[in-house]
Amino acid sequence: MSKIVDFRQRIVDTIKVMYPNMDVDWYDGLFDEQDIADWTVKTPSARVAVMSTNGDHEVTGELNARLRCVVVVIDENRFVALDGDARAWDYVESIALKANLYNFGDPNAAPATMVKFRRISQPVLRREGVSIGVVEWESDLTIGTNRVREREFFYRPDGSMITQVPSSTHTRGHVHTAAGLQRDEQTDFDASED
């Protein structure tokens, strides 16, 4: 699976945990009045889009993709006129606070920065009792193969990285002294003593 698609799903899953009763899904980054009409069938709802803006090369050989992440929140009036506005602001504010300096549990993502949030005002939607809020931020995501990890670490035949070293080592050597004498030495090293 694409790392970008996986990252987008992590954002969707995070919002679902925050708001279990909210209809959360992804979208392609563009929406119009028909999309909003479809999304208001099940409110409150949120739609998540991840759009790449540009990328830089890393010393590891990976590409650092700066992703522009967008969450659109839609709610509508329920009990009194304009009460959807307060809820939309609450959703937008909570999602912005969650996104701020958070990597959504992805070890290849940097904490989110440049968080912006706002309400979209549109007279036709307001008259229909629909409230829309948008949260945007930037997340850096490294994609590709980390060449440093390939060169600097040891791997098992199954491809998994060796991360543990022996706790004790027994060595035996043949030593030549400066005077030309020879002798055998034996050394025991226990890493647990450090």
Side-chain angles (χ1 to χ4, degrees):
M1 177 188 293
S2 161
K3 283 188 177 182
I4 294 172
V5 170
D6 178 60
F7 186 70
R8 181 182 66 195
Q9 188 60 45
R10 287 172 182 269
I11 297 171
V12 168
D13 294 341
T14 299
I15 296 171
K16 283 182 178 180
V17 169
M18 291 173 66
Y19 299 108
N21 296 327
M22 183 180 279
D23 178 45
V24 185
D25 207 349
W26 66 274
Y27 78 109
D28 62 2
L30 300 172
F31 64 92
D32 59 16
E33 290 179 5
Q34 183 59 48
D35 292 320
I36 293 171
D38 294 341
W39 297 343
T40 55
V41 170
K42 198 173 189 184
T43 57
S45 61
R47 296 296 180 260
V48 177
V50 176
M51 298 173 281
S52 182
T53 56
N54 59 10
D56 297 320
H57 293 284
E58 295 291 323
V59 296
T60 61
E62 296 167 291
L63 185 65
N64 181 26
R66 289 192 183 96
L67 304 177
R68 188 172 67 111
C69 303
V70 180
V71 177
V72 178
V73 177
I74 300 99
D75 205 350
E76 58 187 343
N77 298 336
R78 293 203 183 123
F79 307 111
V80 295
L82 303 178
D83 70 338
D85 178 71
R87 281 193 311 279
W89 268 118
D90 183 51
Y91 294 137
V92 165
E93 186 178 317
S94 297
I95 292 169
L97 288 172
K98 182 68 172 181
N100 186 38
L101 300 177
Y102 186 54
N103 71 347
F104 295 92
D106 192 327
N108 294 313
T113 59
M114 300 174 60
V115 179
K116 298 182 282 189
F117 52 102
R118 65 182 181 274
R119 282 263 293 110
I120 295 178
S121 298
Q122 211 269 353
V124 173
L125 296 173
R126 186 183 69 237
R127 281 191 286 277
E128 292 178 6
V130 177
S131 299
I132 302 171
V134 177
V135 184
E136 293 182 53
W137 67 87
E138 188 174 289
S139 287
D140 290 1
L141 181 69
T142 54
I143 57 177
T145 303
N146 186 329
R147 303 291 181 210
V148 172
R149 292 178 75 84
E150 285 183 346
R151 285 191 310 265
E152 304 294 329
F153 295 94
F154 296 102
Y155 294 87
R156 295 181 185 90
D158 66 359
S160 62
M161 185 189 309
I162 297 172
T163 57
Q164 294 180 331
V165 294
S167 60
S168 63
T169 306
H170 178 77
T171 60
R172 179 175 292 180
H174 192 66
V175 179
H176 296 275
T177 64
L181 301 175
Q182 297 180 11
R183 65 178 182 185
D184 289 331
E185 283 190 3
Q186 185 172 322
T187 304
D188 290 318
F189 174 74
D190 189 355
S192 63
E193 295 174 358
D194 289 346

